[in-house]
Amino acid sequence: MGTQAATTSVSASIVVDAPIQRAFDVFTKDFGRFKPPEHNMLGLEIRETVFEPRVGGYLYDRGVDGRECRWAQVLVYEPPTRVVLSWNISPQWQLETDPAKTSEWEVRFVEEAPSRTRVEIEHRHLDRHGDGWEGVREGVGGADGWPLYLSRYATVVAESH
């Protein structure tokens, strides 16, 4: 099937009224402010979501009891224009520990004007998740996936200036 490559990725974008550096900083430093609290594999309340700003760092949730769920790893960190992270969540919405079975998501920050930035997310290689990967595509591409994150992110950006 010639269109398979396109169907194994999901894209979403939004434009925010913020300079590129602030748009980048809000996305990385305030990720926990816009990540939906119900997106939680710990099974208990999340105390904080941490985005470690470096290659090899993690994006993880820390529960109120101190347990951590490291559900993404930073693969590329290029402020203020780009970050790429792994998606360490299986089609069963459990933590995936085999890097060969993880997808990746790239976030690009494109300056449209000095105080206006387009934020683009491309979540790709979803087929690496193996059987059931289409469910991951539906989850991240659906209304409660990246579109919800970007909408909530835009609200945090608007509140932060």
mmCIF file with all atom_site columns, all heavy atoms in Angstrom, residues 6 9-10 24-25 27 32 50 58 69 77 89 91 94 97 101 105 111 123-124 133 135 142 146-147 154 160:
data_model
loop_
_atom_site.group_PDB
_atom_site.id
_atom_site.type_symbol
_atom_site.label_atom_id
_atom_site.label_alt_id
_atom_site.label_comp_id
_atom_site.label_asym_id
_atom_site.label_entity_id
_atom_site.label_seq_id
_atom_site.pdbx_PDB_ins_code
_atom_site.Cartn_x
_atom_site.Cartn_y
_atom_site.Cartn_z
_atom_site.occupancy
_atom_site.B_iso_or_equiv
_atom_site.pdbx_formal_charge
_atom_site.auth_seq_id
_atom_site.auth_comp_id
_atom_site.auth_asym_id
_atom_site.auth_atom_id
_atom_site.pdbx_PDB_model_num
ATOM 1   N N   . ALA A 1 6   ? 2.151  7.682  5.249  1.00 0.00 ? 6   ALA A N   1
ATOM 2   C CA  . ALA A 1 6   ? 1.332  8.792  5.724  1.00 0.00 ? 6   ALA A CA  1
ATOM 3   C C   . ALA A 1 6   ? 0.371  8.346  6.828  1.00 0.00 ? 6   ALA A C   1
ATOM 4   O O   . ALA A 1 6   ? 0.068  9.120  7.722  1.00 0.00 ? 6   ALA A O   1
ATOM 5   C CB  . ALA A 1 6   ? 0.558  9.401  4.562  1.00 0.00 ? 6   ALA A CB  1
ATOM 6   N N   . SER A 1 9   ? 1.497  8.183  10.795 1.00 0.00 ? 9   SER A N   1
ATOM 7   C CA  . SER A 1 9   ? 1.812  9.391  11.543 1.00 0.00 ? 9   SER A CA  1
ATOM 8   C C   . SER A 1 9   ? 0.562  10.254 11.689 1.00 0.00 ? 9   SER A C   1
ATOM 9   O O   . SER A 1 9   ? -0.410 10.079 10.966 1.00 0.00 ? 9   SER A O   1
ATOM 10  C CB  . SER A 1 9   ? 2.935  10.186 10.858 1.00 0.00 ? 9   SER A CB  1
ATOM 11  O OG  . SER A 1 9   ? 2.504  10.696 9.627  1.00 0.00 ? 9   SER A OG  1
ATOM 12  N N   . VAL A 1 10  ? 0.626  11.150 12.643 1.00 0.00 ? 10  VAL A N   1
ATOM 13  C CA  . VAL A 1 10  ? -0.462 12.087 12.931 1.00 0.00 ? 10  VAL A CA  1
ATOM 14  C C   . VAL A 1 10  ? 0.179  13.464 13.080 1.00 0.00 ? 10  VAL A C   1
ATOM 15  O O   . VAL A 1 10  ? 1.252  13.580 13.680 1.00 0.00 ? 10  VAL A O   1
ATOM 16  C CB  . VAL A 1 10  ? -1.169 11.694 14.254 1.00 0.00 ? 10  VAL A CB  1
ATOM 17  C CG1 . VAL A 1 10  ? -2.053 12.803 14.766 1.00 0.00 ? 10  VAL A CG1 1
ATOM 18  C CG2 . VAL A 1 10  ? -1.944 10.414 14.082 1.00 0.00 ? 10  VAL A CG2 1
ATOM 19  N N   . PHE A 1 24  ? 8.294  28.115 23.151 1.00 0.00 ? 24  PHE A N   1
ATOM 20  C CA  . PHE A 1 24  ? 9.098  26.932 23.460 1.00 0.00 ? 24  PHE A CA  1
ATOM 21  C C   . PHE A 1 24  ? 9.157  26.699 24.968 1.00 0.00 ? 24  PHE A C   1
ATOM 22  O O   . PHE A 1 24  ? 8.956  25.579 25.446 1.00 0.00 ? 24  PHE A O   1
ATOM 23  C CB  . PHE A 1 24  ? 10.516 27.110 22.889 1.00 0.00 ? 24  PHE A CB  1
ATOM 24  C CG  . PHE A 1 24  ? 11.405 25.926 23.095 1.00 0.00 ? 24  PHE A CG  1
ATOM 25  C CD1 . PHE A 1 24  ? 11.467 24.921 22.137 1.00 0.00 ? 24  PHE A CD1 1
ATOM 26  C CD2 . PHE A 1 24  ? 12.183 25.793 24.229 1.00 0.00 ? 24  PHE A CD2 1
ATOM 27  C CE1 . PHE A 1 24  ? 12.290 23.813 22.313 1.00 0.00 ? 24  PHE A CE1 1
ATOM 28  C CE2 . PHE A 1 24  ? 12.997 24.691 24.416 1.00 0.00 ? 24  PHE A CE2 1
ATOM 29  C CZ  . PHE A 1 24  ? 13.048 23.699 23.463 1.00 0.00 ? 24  PHE A CZ  1
ATOM 30  N N   . ASP A 1 25  ? 9.427  27.754 25.712 1.00 0.00 ? 25  ASP A N   1
ATOM 31  C CA  . ASP A 1 25  ? 9.555  27.625 27.170 1.00 0.00 ? 25  ASP A CA  1
ATOM 32  C C   . ASP A 1 25  ? 8.264  27.137 27.818 1.00 0.00 ? 25  ASP A C   1
ATOM 33  O O   . ASP A 1 25  ? 8.295  26.286 28.706 1.00 0.00 ? 25  ASP A O   1
ATOM 34  C CB  . ASP A 1 25  ? 9.977  28.954 27.801 1.00 0.00 ? 25  ASP A CB  1
ATOM 35  C CG  . ASP A 1 25  ? 11.426 29.318 27.504 1.00 0.00 ? 25  ASP A CG  1
ATOM 36  O OD1 . ASP A 1 25  ? 12.195 28.443 27.033 1.00 0.00 ? 25  ASP A OD1 1
ATOM 37  O OD2 . ASP A 1 25  ? 11.790 30.490 27.734 1.00 0.00 ? 25  ASP A OD2 1
ATOM 38  N N   . PHE A 1 27  ? 5.953  25.340 26.441 1.00 0.00 ? 27  PHE A N   1
ATOM 39  C CA  . PHE A 1 27  ? 5.737  23.935 26.085 1.00 0.00 ? 27  PHE A CA  1
ATOM 40  C C   . PHE A 1 27  ? 6.601  23.009 26.941 1.00 0.00 ? 27  PHE A C   1
ATOM 41  O O   . PHE A 1 27  ? 6.121  21.985 27.438 1.00 0.00 ? 27  PHE A O   1
ATOM 42  C CB  . PHE A 1 27  ? 6.039  23.690 24.602 1.00 0.00 ? 27  PHE A CB  1
ATOM 43  C CG  . PHE A 1 27  ? 5.482  22.387 24.104 1.00 0.00 ? 27  PHE A CG  1
ATOM 44  C CD1 . PHE A 1 27  ? 4.222  22.344 23.525 1.00 0.00 ? 27  PHE A CD1 1
ATOM 45  C CD2 . PHE A 1 27  ? 6.189  21.195 24.237 1.00 0.00 ? 27  PHE A CD2 1
ATOM 46  C CE1 . PHE A 1 27  ? 3.686  21.134 23.088 1.00 0.00 ? 27  PHE A CE1 1
ATOM 47  C CE2 . PHE A 1 27  ? 5.665  19.995 23.808 1.00 0.00 ? 27  PHE A CE2 1
ATOM 48  C CZ  . PHE A 1 27  ? 4.405  19.964 23.232 1.00 0.00 ? 27  PHE A CZ  1
ATOM 49  N N   . GLY A 1 32  ? 3.206  20.213 32.275 1.00 0.00 ? 32  GLY A N   1
ATOM 50  C CA  . GLY A 1 32  ? 2.243  19.706 33.252 1.00 0.00 ? 32  GLY A CA  1
ATOM 51  C C   . GLY A 1 32  ? 1.029  20.591 33.449 1.00 0.00 ? 32  GLY A C   1
ATOM 52  O O   . GLY A 1 32  ? 0.000  20.130 33.939 1.00 0.00 ? 32  GLY A O   1
ATOM 53  N N   . VAL A 1 50  ? 7.041  16.343 34.833 1.00 0.00 ? 50  VAL A N   1
ATOM 54  C CA  . VAL A 1 50  ? 8.379  16.910 34.691 1.00 0.00 ? 50  VAL A CA  1
ATOM 55  C C   . VAL A 1 50  ? 8.890  16.689 33.267 1.00 0.00 ? 50  VAL A C   1
ATOM 56  O O   . VAL A 1 50  ? 8.811  15.572 32.745 1.00 0.00 ? 50  VAL A O   1
ATOM 57  C CB  . VAL A 1 50  ? 9.351  16.260 35.702 1.00 0.00 ? 50  VAL A CB  1
ATOM 58  C CG1 . VAL A 1 50  ? 10.772 16.799 35.532 1.00 0.00 ? 50  VAL A CG1 1
ATOM 59  C CG2 . VAL A 1 50  ? 8.853  16.469 37.128 1.00 0.00 ? 50  VAL A CG2 1
ATOM 60  N N   . TYR A 1 58  ? 13.895 12.862 30.517 1.00 0.00 ? 58  TYR A N   1
ATOM 61  C CA  . TYR A 1 58  ? 12.586 12.215 30.414 1.00 0.00 ? 58  TYR A CA  1
ATOM 62  C C   . TYR A 1 58  ? 11.463 13.215 30.579 1.00 0.00 ? 58  TYR A C   1
ATOM 63  O O   . TYR A 1 58  ? 11.632 14.276 31.188 1.00 0.00 ? 58  TYR A O   1
ATOM 64  C CB  . TYR A 1 58  ? 12.435 11.126 31.482 1.00 0.00 ? 58  TYR A CB  1
ATOM 65  C CG  . TYR A 1 58  ? 13.257 9.899  31.194 1.00 0.00 ? 58  TYR A CG  1
ATOM 66  C CD1 . TYR A 1 58  ? 14.547 9.769  31.703 1.00 0.00 ? 58  TYR A CD1 1
ATOM 67  C CD2 . TYR A 1 58  ? 12.756 8.876  30.395 1.00 0.00 ? 58  TYR A CD2 1
ATOM 68  C CE1 . TYR A 1 58  ? 15.308 8.647  31.423 1.00 0.00 ? 58  TYR A CE1 1
ATOM 69  C CE2 . TYR A 1 58  ? 13.519 7.747  30.114 1.00 0.00 ? 58  TYR A CE2 1
ATOM 70  C CZ  . TYR A 1 58  ? 14.790 7.644  30.622 1.00 0.00 ? 58  TYR A CZ  1
ATOM 71  O OH  . TYR A 1 58  ? 15.546 6.544  30.338 1.00 0.00 ? 58  TYR A OH  1
ATOM 72  N N   . CYS A 1 69  ? 6.305  7.720  36.406 1.00 0.00 ? 69  CYS A N   1
ATOM 73  C CA  . CYS A 1 69  ? 6.006  7.028  35.157 1.00 0.00 ? 69  CYS A CA  1
ATOM 74  C C   . CYS A 1 69  ? 6.701  7.804  34.045 1.00 0.00 ? 69  CYS A C   1
ATOM 75  O O   . CYS A 1 69  ? 6.258  8.889  33.658 1.00 0.00 ? 69  CYS A O   1
ATOM 76  C CB  . CYS A 1 69  ? 4.495  6.972  34.923 1.00 0.00 ? 69  CYS A CB  1
ATOM 77  S SG  . CYS A 1 69  ? 4.066  6.186  33.355 1.00 0.00 ? 69  CYS A SG  1
ATOM 78  N N   . TYR A 1 77  ? 16.900 18.022 21.493 1.00 0.00 ? 77  TYR A N   1
ATOM 79  C CA  . TYR A 1 77  ? 16.525 19.216 22.253 1.00 0.00 ? 77  TYR A CA  1
ATOM 80  C C   . TYR A 1 77  ? 17.261 20.396 21.636 1.00 0.00 ? 77  TYR A C   1
ATOM 81  O O   . TYR A 1 77  ? 18.464 20.555 21.828 1.00 0.00 ? 77  TYR A O   1
ATOM 82  C CB  . TYR A 1 77  ? 16.890 19.033 23.732 1.00 0.00 ? 77  TYR A CB  1
ATOM 83  C CG  . TYR A 1 77  ? 16.370 20.144 24.609 1.00 0.00 ? 77  TYR A CG  1
ATOM 84  C CD1 . TYR A 1 77  ? 15.029 20.201 24.962 1.00 0.00 ? 77  TYR A CD1 1
ATOM 85  C CD2 . TYR A 1 77  ? 17.215 21.144 25.077 1.00 0.00 ? 77  TYR A CD2 1
ATOM 86  C CE1 . TYR A 1 77  ? 14.537 21.212 25.763 1.00 0.00 ? 77  TYR A CE1 1
ATOM 87  C CE2 . TYR A 1 77  ? 16.733 22.169 25.876 1.00 0.00 ? 77  TYR A CE2 1
ATOM 88  C CZ  . TYR A 1 77  ? 15.392 22.196 26.211 1.00 0.00 ? 77  TYR A CZ  1
ATOM 89  O OH  . TYR A 1 77  ? 14.900 23.201 26.998 1.00 0.00 ? 77  TYR A OH  1
ATOM 90  N N   . ILE A 1 89  ? 4.557  4.423  25.208 1.00 0.00 ? 89  ILE A N   1
ATOM 91  C CA  . ILE A 1 89  ? 3.255  3.932  25.640 1.00 0.00 ? 89  ILE A CA  1
ATOM 92  C C   . ILE A 1 89  ? 2.748  2.942  24.594 1.00 0.00 ? 89  ILE A C   1
ATOM 93  O O   . ILE A 1 89  ? 2.671  3.273  23.413 1.00 0.00 ? 89  ILE A O   1
ATOM 94  C CB  . ILE A 1 89  ? 2.256  5.095  25.827 1.00 0.00 ? 89  ILE A CB  1
ATOM 95  C CG1 . ILE A 1 89  ? 2.812  6.118  26.833 1.00 0.00 ? 89  ILE A CG1 1
ATOM 96  C CG2 . ILE A 1 89  ? 0.901  4.564  26.280 1.00 0.00 ? 89  ILE A CG2 1
ATOM 97  C CD1 . ILE A 1 89  ? 1.991  7.396  26.943 1.00 0.00 ? 89  ILE A CD1 1
ATOM 98  N N   . PRO A 1 91  ? 0.127  0.053  22.681 1.00 0.00 ? 91  PRO A N   1
ATOM 99  C CA  . PRO A 1 91  ? -1.277 0.084  22.264 1.00 0.00 ? 91  PRO A CA  1
ATOM 100 C C   . PRO A 1 91  ? -2.244 -0.291 23.394 1.00 0.00 ? 91  PRO A C   1
ATOM 101 O O   . PRO A 1 91  ? -3.430 0.027  23.326 1.00 0.00 ? 91  PRO A O   1
ATOM 102 C CB  . PRO A 1 91  ? -1.342 -0.947 21.130 1.00 0.00 ? 91  PRO A CB  1
ATOM 103 C CG  . PRO A 1 91  ? 0.039  -0.952 20.570 1.00 0.00 ? 91  PRO A CG  1
ATOM 104 C CD  . PRO A 1 91  ? 0.938  -0.764 21.774 1.00 0.00 ? 91  PRO A CD  1
ATOM 105 N N   . GLN A 1 94  ? -0.006 0.991  28.238 1.00 0.00 ? 94  GLN A N   1
ATOM 106 C CA  . GLN A 1 94  ? 0.905  0.621  29.322 1.00 0.00 ? 94  GLN A CA  1
ATOM 107 C C   . GLN A 1 94  ? 2.295  1.137  28.942 1.00 0.00 ? 94  GLN A C   1
ATOM 108 O O   . GLN A 1 94  ? 2.566  1.384  27.773 1.00 0.00 ? 94  GLN A O   1
ATOM 109 C CB  . GLN A 1 94  ? 0.957  -0.899 29.494 1.00 0.00 ? 94  GLN A CB  1
ATOM 110 C CG  . GLN A 1 94  ? -0.377 -1.543 29.812 1.00 0.00 ? 94  GLN A CG  1
ATOM 111 C CD  . GLN A 1 94  ? -0.909 -1.151 31.173 1.00 0.00 ? 94  GLN A CD  1
ATOM 112 O OE1 . GLN A 1 94  ? -0.166 -1.113 32.137 1.00 0.00 ? 94  GLN A OE1 1
ATOM 113 N NE2 . GLN A 1 94  ? -2.191 -0.847 31.246 1.00 0.00 ? 94  GLN A NE2 1
ATOM 114 N N   . THR A 1 97  ? 8.836  -0.603 27.385 1.00 0.00 ? 97  THR A N   1
ATOM 115 C CA  . THR A 1 97  ? 10.250 -0.496 27.740 1.00 0.00 ? 97  THR A CA  1
ATOM 116 C C   . THR A 1 97  ? 11.191 -0.862 26.593 1.00 0.00 ? 97  THR A C   1
ATOM 117 O O   . THR A 1 97  ? 12.387 -0.615 26.682 1.00 0.00 ? 97  THR A O   1
ATOM 118 C CB  . THR A 1 97  ? 10.569 -1.393 28.954 1.00 0.00 ? 97  THR A CB  1
ATOM 119 O OG1 . THR A 1 97  ? 10.180 -2.736 28.643 1.00 0.00 ? 97  THR A OG1 1
ATOM 120 C CG2 . THR A 1 97  ? 9.811  -0.916 30.191 1.00 0.00 ? 97  THR A CG2 1
ATOM 121 N N   . LYS A 1 101 ? 9.897  -0.619 19.995 1.00 0.00 ? 101 LYS A N   1
ATOM 122 C CA  . LYS A 1 101 ? 8.433  -0.622 19.913 1.00 0.00 ? 101 LYS A CA  1
ATOM 123 C C   . LYS A 1 101 ? 7.835  0.716  20.343 1.00 0.00 ? 101 LYS A C   1
ATOM 124 O O   . LYS A 1 101 ? 6.690  0.778  20.771 1.00 0.00 ? 101 LYS A O   1
ATOM 125 C CB  . LYS A 1 101 ? 7.862  -1.748 20.780 1.00 0.00 ? 101 LYS A CB  1
ATOM 126 C CG  . LYS A 1 101 ? 8.202  -3.129 20.269 1.00 0.00 ? 101 LYS A CG  1
ATOM 127 C CD  . LYS A 1 101 ? 7.579  -4.190 21.134 1.00 0.00 ? 101 LYS A CD  1
ATOM 128 C CE  . LYS A 1 101 ? 7.874  -5.586 20.603 1.00 0.00 ? 101 LYS A CE  1
ATOM 129 N NZ  . LYS A 1 101 ? 7.302  -6.618 21.462 1.00 0.00 ? 101 LYS A NZ  1
ATOM 130 N N   . TRP A 1 105 ? 7.579  11.694 18.648 1.00 0.00 ? 105 TRP A N   1
ATOM 131 C CA  . TRP A 1 105 ? 6.822  12.906 18.327 1.00 0.00 ? 105 TRP A CA  1
ATOM 132 C C   . TRP A 1 105 ? 7.760  14.093 18.334 1.00 0.00 ? 105 TRP A C   1
ATOM 133 O O   . TRP A 1 105 ? 8.574  14.259 19.218 1.00 0.00 ? 105 TRP A O   1
ATOM 134 C CB  . TRP A 1 105 ? 5.628  13.092 19.245 1.00 0.00 ? 105 TRP A CB  1
ATOM 135 C CG  . TRP A 1 105 ? 5.834  12.935 20.715 1.00 0.00 ? 105 TRP A CG  1
ATOM 136 C CD1 . TRP A 1 105 ? 6.181  11.798 21.405 1.00 0.00 ? 105 TRP A CD1 1
ATOM 137 C CD2 . TRP A 1 105 ? 5.679  13.947 21.711 1.00 0.00 ? 105 TRP A CD2 1
ATOM 138 N NE1 . TRP A 1 105 ? 6.240  12.053 22.746 1.00 0.00 ? 105 TRP A NE1 1
ATOM 139 C CE2 . TRP A 1 105 ? 5.936  13.355 22.965 1.00 0.00 ? 105 TRP A CE2 1
ATOM 140 C CE3 . TRP A 1 105 ? 5.337  15.292 21.660 1.00 0.00 ? 105 TRP A CE3 1
ATOM 141 C CZ2 . TRP A 1 105 ? 5.877  14.072 24.152 1.00 0.00 ? 105 TRP A CZ2 1
ATOM 142 C CZ3 . TRP A 1 105 ? 5.269  16.003 22.847 1.00 0.00 ? 105 TRP A CZ3 1
ATOM 143 C CH2 . TRP A 1 105 ? 5.536  15.395 24.080 1.00 0.00 ? 105 TRP A CH2 1
ATOM 144 N N   . GLU A 1 111 ? 8.600  30.658 13.865 1.00 0.00 ? 111 GLU A N   1
ATOM 145 C CA  . GLU A 1 111 ? 8.256  32.066 14.052 1.00 0.00 ? 111 GLU A CA  1
ATOM 146 C C   . GLU A 1 111 ? 7.512  32.586 12.822 1.00 0.00 ? 111 GLU A C   1
ATOM 147 O O   . GLU A 1 111 ? 8.028  32.531 11.716 1.00 0.00 ? 111 GLU A O   1
ATOM 148 C CB  . GLU A 1 111 ? 9.519  32.889 14.278 1.00 0.00 ? 111 GLU A CB  1
ATOM 149 C CG  . GLU A 1 111 ? 9.238  34.344 14.564 1.00 0.00 ? 111 GLU A CG  1
ATOM 150 C CD  . GLU A 1 111 ? 10.492 35.134 14.835 1.00 0.00 ? 111 GLU A CD  1
ATOM 151 O OE1 . GLU A 1 111 ? 11.136 35.565 13.855 1.00 0.00 ? 111 GLU A OE1 1
ATOM 152 O OE2 . GLU A 1 111 ? 10.829 35.295 16.018 1.00 0.00 ? 111 GLU A OE2 1
ATOM 153 N N   . HIS A 1 123 ? 3.558  13.194 15.110 1.00 0.00 ? 123 HIS A N   1
ATOM 154 C CA  . HIS A 1 123 ? 3.753  11.942 15.854 1.00 0.00 ? 123 HIS A CA  1
ATOM 155 C C   . HIS A 1 123 ? 3.882  10.848 14.797 1.00 0.00 ? 123 HIS A C   1
ATOM 156 O O   . HIS A 1 123 ? 2.938  10.576 14.073 1.00 0.00 ? 123 HIS A O   1
ATOM 157 C CB  . HIS A 1 123 ? 2.561  11.694 16.771 1.00 0.00 ? 123 HIS A CB  1
ATOM 158 C CG  . HIS A 1 123 ? 2.825  10.645 17.798 1.00 0.00 ? 123 HIS A CG  1
ATOM 159 N ND1 . HIS A 1 123 ? 2.314  10.725 19.071 1.00 0.00 ? 123 HIS A ND1 1
ATOM 160 C CD2 . HIS A 1 123 ? 3.545  9.503  17.752 1.00 0.00 ? 123 HIS A CD2 1
ATOM 161 C CE1 . HIS A 1 123 ? 2.716  9.663  19.757 1.00 0.00 ? 123 HIS A CE1 1
ATOM 162 N NE2 . HIS A 1 123 ? 3.454  8.905  18.969 1.00 0.00 ? 123 HIS A NE2 1
ATOM 163 N N   . ARG A 1 124 ? 5.070  10.264 14.702 1.00 0.00 ? 124 ARG A N   1
ATOM 164 C CA  . ARG A 1 124 ? 5.371  9.374  13.583 1.00 0.00 ? 124 ARG A CA  1
ATOM 165 C C   . ARG A 1 124 ? 5.881  8.007  14.033 1.00 0.00 ? 124 ARG A C   1
ATOM 166 O O   . ARG A 1 124 ? 6.191  7.807  15.197 1.00 0.00 ? 124 ARG A O   1
ATOM 167 C CB  . ARG A 1 124 ? 6.377  10.041 12.655 1.00 0.00 ? 124 ARG A CB  1
ATOM 168 C CG  . ARG A 1 124 ? 7.670  10.455 13.333 1.00 0.00 ? 124 ARG A CG  1
ATOM 169 C CD  . ARG A 1 124 ? 8.561  11.270 12.394 1.00 0.00 ? 124 ARG A CD  1
ATOM 170 N NE  . ARG A 1 124 ? 9.742  11.731 13.091 1.00 0.00 ? 124 ARG A NE  1
ATOM 171 C CZ  . ARG A 1 124 ? 10.064 13.001 13.271 1.00 0.00 ? 124 ARG A CZ  1
ATOM 172 N NH1 . ARG A 1 124 ? 9.304  13.962 12.788 1.00 0.00 ? 124 ARG A NH1 1
ATOM 173 N NH2 . ARG A 1 124 ? 11.152 13.329 13.921 1.00 0.00 ? 124 ARG A NH2 1
ATOM 174 N N   . TRP A 1 133 ? -1.335 -0.906 16.794 1.00 0.00 ? 133 TRP A N   1
ATOM 175 C CA  . TRP A 1 133 ? -0.791 0.451  16.674 1.00 0.00 ? 133 TRP A CA  1
ATOM 176 C C   . TRP A 1 133 ? -1.820 1.450  16.164 1.00 0.00 ? 133 TRP A C   1
ATOM 177 O O   . TRP A 1 133 ? -1.752 2.631  16.503 1.00 0.00 ? 133 TRP A O   1
ATOM 178 C CB  . TRP A 1 133 ? 0.460  0.468  15.784 1.00 0.00 ? 133 TRP A CB  1
ATOM 179 C CG  . TRP A 1 133 ? 0.196  0.208  14.329 1.00 0.00 ? 133 TRP A CG  1
ATOM 180 C CD1 . TRP A 1 133 ? 0.227  -0.998 13.684 1.00 0.00 ? 133 TRP A CD1 1
ATOM 181 C CD2 . TRP A 1 133 ? -0.139 1.176  13.322 1.00 0.00 ? 133 TRP A CD2 1
ATOM 182 N NE1 . TRP A 1 133 ? -0.074 -0.841 12.360 1.00 0.00 ? 133 TRP A NE1 1
ATOM 183 C CE2 . TRP A 1 133 ? -0.295 0.488  12.108 1.00 0.00 ? 133 TRP A CE2 1
ATOM 184 C CE3 . TRP A 1 133 ? -0.326 2.559  13.338 1.00 0.00 ? 133 TRP A CE3 1
ATOM 185 C CZ2 . TRP A 1 133 ? -0.640 1.129  10.925 1.00 0.00 ? 133 TRP A CZ2 1
ATOM 186 C CZ3 . TRP A 1 133 ? -0.659 3.196  12.149 1.00 0.00 ? 133 TRP A CZ3 1
ATOM 187 C CH2 . TRP A 1 133 ? -0.811 2.480  10.964 1.00 0.00 ? 133 TRP A CH2 1
ATOM 188 N N   . GLY A 1 135 ? -4.750 1.845  17.145 1.00 0.00 ? 135 GLY A N   1
ATOM 189 C CA  . GLY A 1 135 ? -5.410 2.436  18.314 1.00 0.00 ? 135 GLY A CA  1
ATOM 190 C C   . GLY A 1 135 ? -4.612 3.587  18.903 1.00 0.00 ? 135 GLY A C   1
ATOM 191 O O   . GLY A 1 135 ? -5.180 4.561  19.395 1.00 0.00 ? 135 GLY A O   1
ATOM 192 N N   . GLY A 1 142 ? -6.959 11.774 17.803 1.00 0.00 ? 142 GLY A N   1
ATOM 193 C CA  . GLY A 1 142 ? -8.357 12.091 18.084 1.00 0.00 ? 142 GLY A CA  1
ATOM 194 C C   . GLY A 1 142 ? -8.518 13.332 18.938 1.00 0.00 ? 142 GLY A C   1
ATOM 195 O O   . GLY A 1 142 ? -7.541 13.961 19.366 1.00 0.00 ? 142 GLY A O   1
ATOM 196 N N   . TRP A 1 146 ? -3.497 14.989 20.587 1.00 0.00 ? 146 TRP A N   1
ATOM 197 C CA  . TRP A 1 146 ? -2.728 16.212 20.359 1.00 0.00 ? 146 TRP A CA  1
ATOM 198 C C   . TRP A 1 146 ? -3.593 17.457 20.167 1.00 0.00 ? 146 TRP A C   1
ATOM 199 O O   . TRP A 1 146 ? -3.213 18.539 20.645 1.00 0.00 ? 146 TRP A O   1
ATOM 200 C CB  . TRP A 1 146 ? -1.746 16.017 19.202 1.00 0.00 ? 146 TRP A CB  1
ATOM 201 C CG  . TRP A 1 146 ? -0.651 15.048 19.546 1.00 0.00 ? 146 TRP A CG  1
ATOM 202 C CD1 . TRP A 1 146 ? -0.282 13.921 18.854 1.00 0.00 ? 146 TRP A CD1 1
ATOM 203 C CD2 . TRP A 1 146 ? 0.220  15.094 20.684 1.00 0.00 ? 146 TRP A CD2 1
ATOM 204 N NE1 . TRP A 1 146 ? 0.739  13.274 19.500 1.00 0.00 ? 146 TRP A NE1 1
ATOM 205 C CE2 . TRP A 1 146 ? 1.073  13.972 20.619 1.00 0.00 ? 146 TRP A CE2 1
ATOM 206 C CE3 . TRP A 1 146 ? 0.363  15.974 21.762 1.00 0.00 ? 146 TRP A CE3 1
ATOM 207 C CZ2 . TRP A 1 146 ? 2.058  13.715 21.585 1.00 0.00 ? 146 TRP A CZ2 1
ATOM 208 C CZ3 . TRP A 1 146 ? 1.338  15.711 22.718 1.00 0.00 ? 146 TRP A CZ3 1
ATOM 209 C CH2 . TRP A 1 146 ? 2.163  14.593 22.617 1.00 0.00 ? 146 TRP A CH2 1
ATOM 210 N N   . PRO A 1 147 ? -4.763 17.378 19.514 1.00 0.00 ? 147 PRO A N   1
ATOM 211 C CA  . PRO A 1 147 ? -5.588 18.596 19.420 1.00 0.00 ? 147 PRO A CA  1
ATOM 212 C C   . PRO A 1 147 ? -5.971 19.157 20.802 1.00 0.00 ? 147 PRO A C   1
ATOM 213 O O   . PRO A 1 147 ? -5.958 20.376 21.003 1.00 0.00 ? 147 PRO A O   1
ATOM 214 C CB  . PRO A 1 147 ? -6.818 18.133 18.626 1.00 0.00 ? 147 PRO A CB  1
ATOM 215 C CG  . PRO A 1 147 ? -6.282 17.021 17.760 1.00 0.00 ? 147 PRO A CG  1
ATOM 216 C CD  . PRO A 1 147 ? -5.299 16.296 18.654 1.00 0.00 ? 147 PRO A CD  1
ATOM 217 N N   . ALA A 1 154 ? -2.344 26.445 24.238 1.00 0.00 ? 154 ALA A N   1
ATOM 218 C CA  . ALA A 1 154 ? -2.613 27.820 23.810 1.00 0.00 ? 154 ALA A CA  1
ATOM 219 C C   . ALA A 1 154 ? -3.208 28.639 24.948 1.00 0.00 ? 154 ALA A C   1
ATOM 220 O O   . ALA A 1 154 ? -2.889 29.833 25.104 1.00 0.00 ? 154 ALA A O   1
ATOM 221 C CB  . ALA A 1 154 ? -3.540 27.829 22.591 1.00 0.00 ? 154 ALA A CB  1
ATOM 222 N N   . SER A 1 160 ? 0.163  33.319 30.279 1.00 0.00 ? 160 SER A N   1
ATOM 223 C CA  . SER A 1 160 ? 1.516  33.445 30.820 1.00 0.00 ? 160 SER A CA  1
ATOM 224 C C   . SER A 1 160 ? 2.251  34.722 30.411 1.00 0.00 ? 160 SER A C   1
ATOM 225 O O   . SER A 1 160 ? 3.414  34.845 30.684 1.00 0.00 ? 160 SER A O   1
ATOM 226 C CB  . SER A 1 160 ? 2.352  32.229 30.406 1.00 0.00 ? 160 SER A CB  1
ATOM 227 O OG  . SER A 1 160 ? 2.609  32.267 29.014 1.00 0.00 ? 160 SER A OG  1
#
